[in-house]
Coordinates of all heavy atoms in Angstrom, one line a residue:
T660 N 94.3 106.4 104.2 CA 94.5 107.9 104.2 C 93.9 108.5 103.0 O 94.2 108.0 101.9 CB 95.9 108.3 104.4 OG1 96.5 107.7 105.6 CG2 96.1 109.8 104.3
I661 N 93.0 109.4 103.1 CA 92.5 110.2 102.0 C 93.3 111.5 102.1 O 93.3 112.2 103.1 CB 91.0 110.5 102.1 CG1 90.3 109.2 101.9 CG2 90.6 111.4 101.0 CD1 88.8 109.3 102.2
E662 N 93.9 111.9 101.0 CA 94.6 113.2 100.9 C 93.8 114.2 100.0 O 93.1 113.8 99.1 CB 96.0 113.0 100.2 CG 96.9 112.3 101.1 CD 98.4 112.3 100.5 OE1 98.6 112.9 99.4 OE2 99.3 111.8 101.1
F663 N 93.8 115.4 100.4 CA 93.1 116.4 99.7 C 94.0 117.3 99.0 O 95.0 117.9 99.5 CB 92.3 117.3 100.7 CG 91.1 116.5 101.3 CD1 91.3 115.8 102.5 CD2 89.9 116.4 100.6 CE1 90.2 115.1 103.0 CE2 88.8 115.7 101.1 CZ 89.0 115.1 102.3
W664 N 93.8 117.5 97.6 CA 94.6 118.4 96.7 C 93.6 119.4 96.0 O 92.4 119.1 96.1 CB 95.3 117.5 95.7 CG 96.4 116.6 96.3 CD1 96.2 115.6 97.2 CD2 97.8 116.7 96.0 NE1 97.4 115.0 97.5 CE2 98.4 115.6 96.8 CE3 98.5 117.4 95.1 CZ2 99.8 115.3 96.7 CZ3 99.9 117.1 95.0 CH2 100.5 116.1 95.8
Q665 N 94.2 120.3 95.4 CA 93.4 121.4 94.7 C 93.9 121.6 93.3 O 95.1 121.7 93.1 CB 93.5 122.7 95.5 CG 92.4 123.7 95.0 CD 92.2 124.8 96.0 OE1 93.2 125.3 96.6 NE2 91.0 125.2 96.2
I666 N 93.0 121.6 92.4 CA 93.3 121.8 91.0 C 93.6 123.3 90.8 O 92.9 124.2 91.3 CB 92.2 121.4 90.0 CG1 92.0 119.9 90.2 CG2 92.5 121.7 88.6 CD1 90.8 119.4 89.4
T667 N 94.7 123.7 90.1 CA 95.2 125.0 89.9 C 95.5 125.2 88.4 O 95.4 124.3 87.6 CB 96.4 125.4 90.8 OG1 97.5 124.6 90.3 CG2 96.1 125.0 92.2
H668 N 95.9 126.4 88.2 CA 96.6 126.7 86.9 C 98.0 125.9 86.8 O 98.4 125.5 87.9 CB 96.9 128.1 86.6 CG 95.6 128.9 86.3 ND1 94.8 128.8 85.2 CD2 94.9 130.0 87.1 CE1 93.8 129.6 85.3 NE2 93.8 130.2 86.3
F669 N 98.5 125.8 85.7 CA 99.8 125.1 85.5 C 100.9 125.6 86.5 O 101.7 124.8 86.9 CB 100.3 125.1 84.1 CG 101.3 124.1 83.7 CD1 101.0 122.8 83.6 CD2 102.6 124.6 83.5 CE1 102.1 121.9 83.3 CE2 103.7 123.7 83.3 CZ 103.4 122.3 83.2
D670 N 100.9 127.0 86.7 CA 102.0 127.6 87.5 C 101.6 127.5 89.0 O 102.3 128.1 89.8 CB 102.2 129.0 87.1 CG 100.9 129.9 87.3 OD1 99.9 129.3 87.7 OD2 101.0 131.1 86.9
G671 N 100.5 126.8 89.4 CA 100.1 126.7 90.8 C 99.2 127.8 91.3 O 98.8 127.7 92.5
S672 N 98.9 128.8 90.4 CA 98.0 129.9 90.9 C 96.6 129.3 90.9 O 96.2 128.4 90.1 CB 98.2 131.1 90.0 OG 97.8 130.7 88.6
P673 N 95.7 129.9 91.8 CA 94.3 129.4 91.9 C 93.5 129.6 90.6 O 93.7 130.6 89.8 CB 93.7 130.2 93.0 CG 94.9 130.8 93.8 CD 96.0 131.0 92.8
L674 N 92.6 128.7 90.3 CA 91.7 128.9 89.2 C 90.6 129.9 89.6 O 90.2 130.0 90.7 CB 91.0 127.5 88.9 CG 91.8 126.4 88.3 CD1 91.0 125.2 88.1 CD2 92.6 126.8 87.1
T675 N 90.2 130.7 88.6 CA 89.2 131.6 88.8 C 87.7 131.1 88.6 O 86.8 131.8 88.9 CB 89.4 132.8 87.9 OG1 89.4 132.4 86.5 CG2 90.7 133.6 88.2
T676 N 87.7 129.8 88.0 CA 86.5 129.2 87.8 C 86.6 127.8 88.4 O 87.6 127.3 88.8 CB 86.1 129.1 86.3 OG1 87.2 128.4 85.6 CG2 85.9 130.5 85.7
N677 N 85.5 127.1 88.4 CA 85.5 125.7 88.9 C 85.8 124.7 87.8 O 85.4 124.9 86.7 CB 84.0 125.3 89.4 CG 83.7 126.1 90.7 OD1 84.6 126.4 91.5 ND2 82.4 126.4 90.9
F678 N 86.6 123.7 88.2 CA 87.0 122.7 87.2 C 85.7 121.9 86.9 O 84.9 121.6 87.8 CB 88.0 121.7 87.9 CG 88.3 120.5 87.0 CD1 89.2 120.6 86.0 CD2 87.7 119.3 87.2 CE1 89.5 119.6 85.1 CE2 88.1 118.2 86.4 CZ 88.9 118.4 85.4
P679 N 85.5 121.7 85.6 CA 84.2 121.0 85.2 C 84.2 119.5 85.4 O 84.3 118.7 84.5 CB 84.1 121.3 83.7 CG 85.5 121.4 83.3 CD 86.2 122.1 84.4
A680 N 84.1 119.2 86.7 CA 84.2 117.8 87.1 C 83.2 116.9 86.5 O 83.5 115.8 86.0 CB 84.2 117.6 88.7
D681 N 81.9 117.4 86.5 CA 80.8 116.5 85.9 C 81.1 116.3 84.4 O 80.9 115.3 83.9 CB 79.5 117.2 86.2 CG 79.0 117.1 87.7 OD1 79.6 116.3 88.4 OD2 78.3 118.0 88.0
A682 N 81.5 117.4 83.7 CA 81.7 117.3 82.3 C 82.9 116.3 82.0 O 82.9 115.5 81.1 CB 81.9 118.6 81.7
F683 N 83.9 116.4 82.9 CA 85.1 115.5 82.8 C 84.6 114.1 82.9 O 85.0 113.2 82.1 CB 86.1 115.8 83.8 CG 87.2 114.8 84.0 CD1 88.2 114.7 83.0 CD2 87.2 114.0 85.1 CE1 89.2 113.8 83.2 CE2 88.2 113.1 85.2 CZ 89.2 112.9 84.2
R684 N 83.8 113.8 83.9 CA 83.3 112.4 84.1 C 82.4 112.0 82.9 O 82.6 110.8 82.3 CB 82.4 112.4 85.3 CG 81.9 110.9 85.6 CD 80.9 110.9 86.7 NE 80.5 109.5 87.0 CZ 79.6 108.8 86.2 NH1 79.0 109.4 85.1 NH2 79.3 107.6 86.5
E685 N 81.6 112.8 82.3 CA 80.8 112.5 81.2 C 81.6 112.2 80.0 O 81.3 111.3 79.1 CB 79.8 113.6 80.9 CG 78.7 113.8 81.9 CD 77.9 112.4 82.2 OE1 77.6 111.7 81.2 OE2 77.7 112.1 83.4
Q686 N 82.7 112.9 79.8 CA 83.6 112.7 78.7 C 84.3 111.2 78.9 O 84.3 110.5 77.9 CB 84.7 113.7 78.7 CG 84.4 115.1 78.3 CD 84.3 115.2 76.7 OE1 84.7 114.3 76.0 NE2 83.8 116.4 76.2
I687 N 84.6 110.9 80.1 CA 85.1 109.5 80.3 C 84.1 108.5 80.0 O 84.4 107.5 79.5 CB 85.7 109.4 81.7 CG1 86.9 110.5 81.9 CG2 86.3 108.1 81.9 CD1 88.1 110.3 81.0
V688 N 82.9 108.7 80.5 CA 81.7 107.8 80.4 C 81.5 107.6 78.8 O 81.4 106.5 78.4 CB 80.5 108.3 81.0 CG1 79.3 107.4 80.6 CG2 80.7 108.2 82.6
G689 N 81.5 108.7 78.1 CA 81.2 108.6 76.6 C 82.3 107.8 75.9 O 82.1 107.0 75.0
A690 N 83.6 108.1 76.3 CA 84.7 107.5 75.7 C 84.7 106.0 76.0 O 85.0 105.1 75.1 CB 86.0 108.0 76.2
K691 N 84.3 105.6 77.2 CA 84.3 104.1 77.6 C 83.2 103.5 76.7 O 83.3 102.4 76.2 CB 84.1 104.0 79.0 CG 84.1 102.5 79.5 CD 83.8 102.4 81.0 CE 83.8 101.0 81.4 NZ 83.5 100.8 82.9
A692 N 82.0 104.1 76.7 CA 80.9 103.5 75.9 C 81.2 103.3 74.5 O 80.7 102.4 73.8 CB 79.7 104.4 76.1
A693 N 82.0 104.2 73.9 CA 82.4 104.2 72.5 C 83.6 103.3 72.3 O 84.1 103.3 71.2 CB 82.6 105.5 72.0
N694 N 84.1 102.7 73.3 CA 85.3 101.8 73.3 C 86.5 102.5 72.7 O 87.4 102.0 72.0 CB 85.0 100.6 72.3 CG 84.1 99.6 72.9 OD1 84.1 99.3 74.2 ND2 83.2 99.1 72.1
L695 N 86.6 103.8 73.1 CA 87.8 104.6 72.8 C 88.9 104.4 73.8 O 88.7 103.8 74.9 CB 87.4 106.2 72.8 CG 86.3 106.6 71.8 CD1 86.0 108.0 72.0 CD2 86.7 106.2 70.3
N696 N 90.1 104.7 73.4 CA 91.3 104.5 74.2 C 91.3 105.4 75.4 O 91.4 106.7 75.2 CB 92.6 104.7 73.3 CG 93.8 104.4 74.1 OD1 93.8 103.8 75.2 ND2 94.9 104.8 73.6
L697 N 91.2 104.8 76.6 CA 91.2 105.6 77.8 C 92.6 105.7 78.4 O 92.8 106.2 79.6 CB 90.2 105.1 78.8 CG 88.7 105.2 78.5 CD1 87.9 104.4 79.4 CD2 88.4 106.7 78.4
E698 N 93.6 105.2 77.8 CA 95.0 105.2 78.3 C 95.7 106.5 77.9 O 95.6 107.1 76.9 CB 95.7 104.0 77.8 CG 97.2 103.9 78.3 CD 97.9 102.8 77.6 OE1 97.4 101.7 77.5 OE2 99.1 103.1 77.2
A699 N 96.6 107.0 78.9 CA 97.5 108.0 78.6 C 98.8 107.7 79.3 O 98.8 107.1 80.4 CB 97.0 109.4 79.2
R700 N 99.9 108.0 78.6 CA 101.3 107.7 79.1 C 101.8 109.0 79.8 O 102.0 109.9 79.0 CB 102.2 107.1 78.1 CG 101.8 105.7 77.7 CD 102.9 105.0 76.9 NE 102.5 103.6 76.7 CZ 102.9 102.6 77.5 NH1 103.8 102.8 78.5 NH2 102.7 101.4 77.3
T701 N 102.1 108.9 81.1 CA 102.6 110.1 81.8 C 104.1 110.3 81.5 O 104.7 109.6 80.7 CB 102.4 109.9 83.2 OG1 103.0 108.7 83.7 CG2 100.9 109.8 83.6
S702 N 104.7 111.4 82.1 CA 106.0 111.8 81.8 C 107.0 110.7 82.0 O 108.1 110.7 81.3 CB 106.4 113.0 82.6 OG 106.2 112.8 83.9
D703 N 106.8 109.9 82.9 CA 107.8 108.8 83.2 C 107.5 107.5 82.4 O 108.1 106.4 82.7 CB 107.8 108.5 84.7 CG 106.5 108.0 85.2 OD1 105.5 107.9 84.5 OD2 106.4 107.8 86.5
G704 N 106.5 107.5 81.5 CA 106.2 106.4 80.7 C 105.2 105.5 81.2 O 104.9 104.4 80.6
T705 N 104.6 105.8 82.4 CA 103.7 104.9 83.0 C 102.3 105.1 82.3 O 101.8 106.1 82.2 CB 103.4 105.3 84.5 OG1 104.7 105.2 85.2 CG2 102.5 104.4 85.2
P706 N 101.7 104.0 81.9 CA 100.4 104.1 81.3 C 99.3 104.2 82.4 O 99.4 103.5 83.4 CB 100.2 102.7 80.6 CG 101.1 101.8 81.2 CD 102.3 102.6 81.8

């Protein structure tokens, strides 16, 4: 199953601009190439 979700403001209201998906990917690509830490710990402590 593929589920579809939508990125919004923190309060759930719609964004007035597009989320910079390509820029987000490029940031992750650059961080991986530079061997930077790609881990984040979420609110429940999950890495």
Side-chain angles (χ1 to χ4, degrees):
T660 300
I661 296 174
E662 290 189 359
F663 291 92
W664 294 59
Q665 191 166 40
I666 299 175
T667 66
H668 289 294
F669 191 75
D670 62 359
S672 59
L674 293 179
T675 56
T676 59
N677 290 326
F678 176 79
D681 291 339
F683 169 71
R684 182 188 181 282
E685 291 305 315
Q686 288 276 356
I687 299 298
V688 169
K691 183 181 180 183
N694 292 320
L695 299 179
N696 183 14
L697 290 172
E698 177 186 314
R700 287 191 174 267
T701 58
S702 57
D703 60 1
T705 302

